[in-house]
């Protein structure tokens, strides 16, 4: 990944994280798919996580750790969504 691409990708992810705080209601429908309880709190937590991951990707010295963090975070969120959906609970163990 080039320096410019990493910086733009990281800053985009960080901006999305900040947007969770500026307009949390916009993220609540998506957050509710993974975290049906305490949606607003999880919206803020996810925003903070995306902010940190984005800043890590934007900075060259921490880019590899940021990309690894992004992969883990995306996998974890995907698992949460799949295990919370009523039509997949019997197929995918929680």
């Amino acid at each position: 990944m080039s320096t410019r691409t990493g910086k733009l990708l990281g800053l985009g992810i960080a901006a999305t994280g900040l947007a969770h705080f500026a307009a949390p209601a916009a993220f609540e429908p998506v957050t509710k798919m993974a975290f049906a309880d305490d949606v607003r709190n999880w919206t803020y937590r996810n925003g903070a996580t995306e902010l940190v991951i984005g800043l890590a990707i934007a900075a060259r010295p921490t880019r590899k750790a940021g990309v690894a963090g992004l992969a883990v975070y995306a996998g974890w969120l995907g698992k949460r969504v799949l295990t919370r959906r009523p039509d997949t609970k019997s197929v995918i163990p929680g």
Side-chain angles (χ1 to χ4, degrees):
M1 173 182 318
S2 74
T3 299
R4 184 168 193 254
T5 301
K7 191 173 283 191
L8 289 174
L9 175 64
L11 292 177
I13 294 169
T16 302
L18 282 175
H20 282 69
F21 295 94
F27 295 91
E28 287 180 354
V30 176
T31 302
K32 191 171 188 172
M33 290 190 304
F35 308 99
D37 298 329
D38 205 8
V39 175
R40 181 61 60 103
N41 187 24
W42 278 104
T43 299
Y44 291 142
R45 287 179 182 194
N46 290 334
T49 302
E50 291 171 22
L51 174 61
V52 169
I53 288 172
L55 291 176
I57 292 171
R60 190 162 173 77
T62 56
R63 186 162 298 143
K64 286 183 182 179
V67 170
L70 179 61
V72 170
Y73 177 64
W76 176 72
L77 278 179
K79 181 184 182 303
R80 292 283 306 199
V81 170
L82 290 174
T83 58
R84 297 285 180 229
R85 293 182 61 198
D87 58 318
T88 60
K89 276 190 176 181
S90 62
V91 177
I92 300 173

